[in-house]
């Protein structure tokens, strides 16, 4: 039976672990899907390329507000799609080829691999092998809720008019109509993309607001703004309960007056549509890993790790076994997975250098840093956040102060004709340390970065506001004015 020094399962952020420092080791990498993981192939990167295109389309349709004669006249979907995925697929292919053909010490298993024991494995094709040290980086997959008439096994398969984010970006043509199920980040981004490109989009949200995990003010204002989006029919407090799918769904798509899916909601509404996008979140990919043949701790479907990214067994570190990213993290974010991968690489090498499985002392290990983790939603309007929401600060008993600064209060906000955007900063009233920040509006993901930096390095709000120049009349002035408006002791 083949034996490896190191096995990495998953090629998202896990793929970045193996470098020249592993040249003297026998390494295996397993990937059952595309190289590069969720972010490269079905997540962050292609979605943002679509979002930018959608933003251009929306701006073209909105020229009259600024006194210019522009319009949106339609989208060449295949051109958009192929431009994006020609780049994505080339990167995926080059990464796969590099690992497969250019590294003599690396064996790639381009198939599903599962545990058959604590350190033994079997591939989908029946190959069996063992490994001393293991990195589990299998990411996450879309969650598809049960509903009458919906076949989860057929979702994302050719000809079935129900998709998830894994496949919806590669469809052959824009539908005339679409129903988006969900009210989180994925739903908000894709509804923006397809509505901006000309699709009539109905969004069904189980709760009363979109982005319900955001700060309440962000969630409220985003919901109001998004509900006013052209070609968007937002229905809150609504759940799809029954799917009726035409057997000739493929042929039905694109035919005037013919729809591939008929949805019934708990409110009794009937919606006929060409395509349904299920965007109800993602689950850690631990199913079918064969974890029942191990003693690995799993909680709510997620592999449990300690502060050194070591996998736990019975609450204690399992020697030489690490996990990272969506399969084990509370944060389904690529920048967090990348950070965790760096921690795993350092600690894996420390464990190898110790000469025995689990031999590295904790003083030789690097601890993960989950302080000041930011996130953004690339929809319209855009939003970004870091740290505590106001509700969380209140529940934690913090003595805090809050300032909300409107985009419309600063000069660049006037240039944007913005009536929605704002910057909200939450700070400790005594120390001035920033506890959280939330921005809704143009370029939110960019202008929040100084606030992330201040939180990461412990810079108090008053020093941040007064200790540097802020370019006038740039948009970050909304951040400056929010900081200056905080009432500190």
């Amino acid at each position: 039976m083949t034996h490896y020094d190191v096995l990495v399962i998953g090629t998202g952020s896990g793929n970045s672990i193996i470098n020249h420092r592993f040249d003297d080791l026998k390494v295996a990498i397993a990937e059952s899907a595309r190289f590069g993981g969720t972010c490269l192939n079905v997540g962050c990167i292609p979605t943002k390329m679509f979002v930018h295109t959608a933003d251009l389309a929306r701006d073209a349709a909105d020229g009259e507000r600024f006194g210019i004669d522009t319009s949106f006249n339609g989208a060449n979907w295949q051109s958009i799609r192929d431009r994006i995925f020609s780049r994505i697929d080339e990167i995926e292919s080059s990464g796969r080829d590099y690992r497969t053909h250019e590294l003599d010490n690396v064996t790639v298993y381009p198939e599903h691999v599962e545990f058959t024991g604590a350190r033994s494995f079997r591939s989908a094709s029946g190959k069996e092998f063992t490994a001393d040290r293991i990195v589990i980086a299998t990411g996450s997959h879309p969650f598809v809720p049960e509903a009458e008439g919906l076949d989860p096994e057929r979702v994302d398969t050719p000809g079935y008019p129900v998709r998830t984010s894994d496949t919806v970006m590669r469809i052959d043509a824009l539908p005339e109509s679409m129903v988006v199920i969900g009210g989180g980040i994925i739903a908000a981004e894709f509804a923006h993309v397809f509505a901006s490109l000309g699709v009539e989009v109905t969004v069904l949200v189980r709760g009363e607001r979109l982005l319900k995990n955001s700060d309440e003010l962000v969630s409220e204002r985003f919901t109001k703004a998004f509900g006013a989006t052209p070609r968007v029919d937002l229905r809150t407090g609504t759940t799809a309960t029954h799917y009726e799918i035409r057997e000739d769904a493929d042929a039905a798509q694109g035919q005037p007056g013919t729809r591939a899916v008929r949805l019934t909601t708990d409110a009794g509404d009937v919606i006929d549509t060409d395509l349904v996008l299920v965007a109800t979140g993602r689950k850690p990919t631990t199913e079918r890993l064969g974890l029942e043949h191990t003693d690995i701790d799993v909680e709510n479907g997620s592999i449990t790790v300690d502060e050194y990214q070591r996998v736990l067994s019975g609450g204690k570190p399992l020697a030489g076994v690490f996990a990272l990213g969506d399969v084990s993290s509370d944060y389904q974010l690529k920048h967090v997975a990348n950070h965790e991968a760096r921690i795993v690489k350092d600690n894996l090498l420390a464990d190898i250098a110790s000469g025995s499985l689990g031999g590295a002392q904790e003083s030789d290990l690097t601890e993960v840093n989950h302080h000041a983790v930011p996130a953004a939603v690339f929809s319209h309007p855009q939003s970004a956040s870091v740290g505590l929401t106001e509700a969380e600060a209140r529940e934690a008993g913090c003595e805090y102060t809050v300032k909300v600064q409107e985009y419309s209060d600063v000069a660049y906000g006037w240039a944007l004709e913005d009536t929605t955007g704002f910057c909200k900063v939450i700070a400790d009233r005594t120390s001035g340390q920033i506890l959280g920040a939330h921005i809704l509006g143009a370029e939110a993901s960019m202008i929040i970065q100084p606030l992330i930096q201040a939180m990461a390095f412990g810079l108090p709000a008053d020093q941040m506001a007064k200790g540097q120049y802020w370019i006038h009349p740039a948009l970050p002035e909304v951040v400056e004015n929010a900081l200056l408006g905080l009432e500190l002791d």
Side-chain angles (χ1 to χ4, degrees), residues 193-396:
V193 166
F194 284 101
S196 297
L197 296 181
V199 179
E200 296 295 329
V201 177
T202 302
V203 182
L204 304 184
V205 185
R206 184 175 58 182
E208 294 305 316
R209 300 195 311 267
L210 294 160
L211 306 184
K212 64 181 179 63
N213 293 326
S214 299
D215 183 85
E216 187 172 356
L217 185 60
V218 171
S219 179
E220 288 176 353
R221 290 217 197 165
F222 180 86
T223 302
K224 182 178 180 180
F226 202 79
T229 298
R231 290 185 292 274
V232 169
D233 177 5
L234 175 60
R235 305 187 189 187
T236 58
T238 305
T239 301
T241 56
H242 180 80
Y243 290 68
E244 183 180 338
I245 297 172
R246 291 176 58 112
E247 287 302 317
D248 59 342
D250 251 357
Q253 292 186 49
Q255 291 186 14
T258 305
R259 296 291 181 253
V261 185
R262 170 164 289 183
L263 281 179
T264 305
T265 73
D266 55 356
D269 297 330
V270 176
I271 306 168
D272 291 319
T273 189
D274 293 316
L275 190 68
V276 176
L277 171 63
V278 179
T280 48
R282 298 180 67 87
K283 295 174 60 178
T285 301
T286 52
E287 299 170 2
R288 296 180 57 242
L289 264 181
L291 296 182
E292 66 274 14
H293 301 299
T294 75
D295 293 324
I296 290 174
D297 293 346
V298 178
E299 184 175 351
N300 297 323
S302 180
I303 290 175
T304 306
V305 296
D306 67 5
E307 65 270 31
Y308 305 107
Q309 296 299 135
R310 297 180 297 187
V311 168
L312 300 182
S313 175
K316 296 181 180 180
L318 190 57
V321 183
F322 300 84
L324 63 95
D326 290 1
V327 75
S328 61
S329 181
D330 292 335
Y331 305 93
Q332 291 185 350
L333 298 165
K334 177 62 171 176
H335 42 277
V336 173
N338 284 345
H339 168 71
E340 291 174 353
R342 290 191 290 270
I343 299 301
V344 168
K345 179 169 65 177
D346 288 348
N347 293 341
L348 181 60
L349 288 166
D351 193 61
I352 292 168
S354 75
S356 62
L357 281 174
Q361 300 299 307
E362 289 192 354
S363 59
D364 297 323
L365 301 178
T366 305
E367 189 171 334
V368 72
N369 176 12
H370 287 150
H371 173 61
V373 175
V377 182
F378 294 83
S379 185
H380 191 91
Q382 197 177 109
S383 74
S385 64
V386 62
L388 300 178
T389 65
E390 185 172 359
E392 290 168 341
R394 185 167 54 247
E395 290 166 8

Side-chain angles (χ1 to χ4, degrees), residues 135-204:
V135 177
I136 305 171
T138 49
S140 61
H141 61 276
F143 168 66
V144 178
E146 293 183 1
E148 187 179 355
L150 177 64
D151 184 351
E153 296 300 318
R154 295 184 67 189
V155 172
D156 283 333
T157 63
Y160 199 69
V162 182
R163 301 281 183 153
T164 71
S165 55
D166 276 2
T167 65
V168 75
M169 289 180 283
R170 292 183 183 259
I171 58 177
D172 290 331
L174 277 177
E176 291 183 3
S177 63
M178 169 185 285
V179 172
V180 176
I181 310 288
I185 295 172
I186 297 171
E189 292 186 350
F190 277 109
H192 164 54
V193 166
F194 284 101
S196 297
L197 296 181
V199 179
E200 296 295 329
V201 177
T202 302
V203 182
L204 304 184

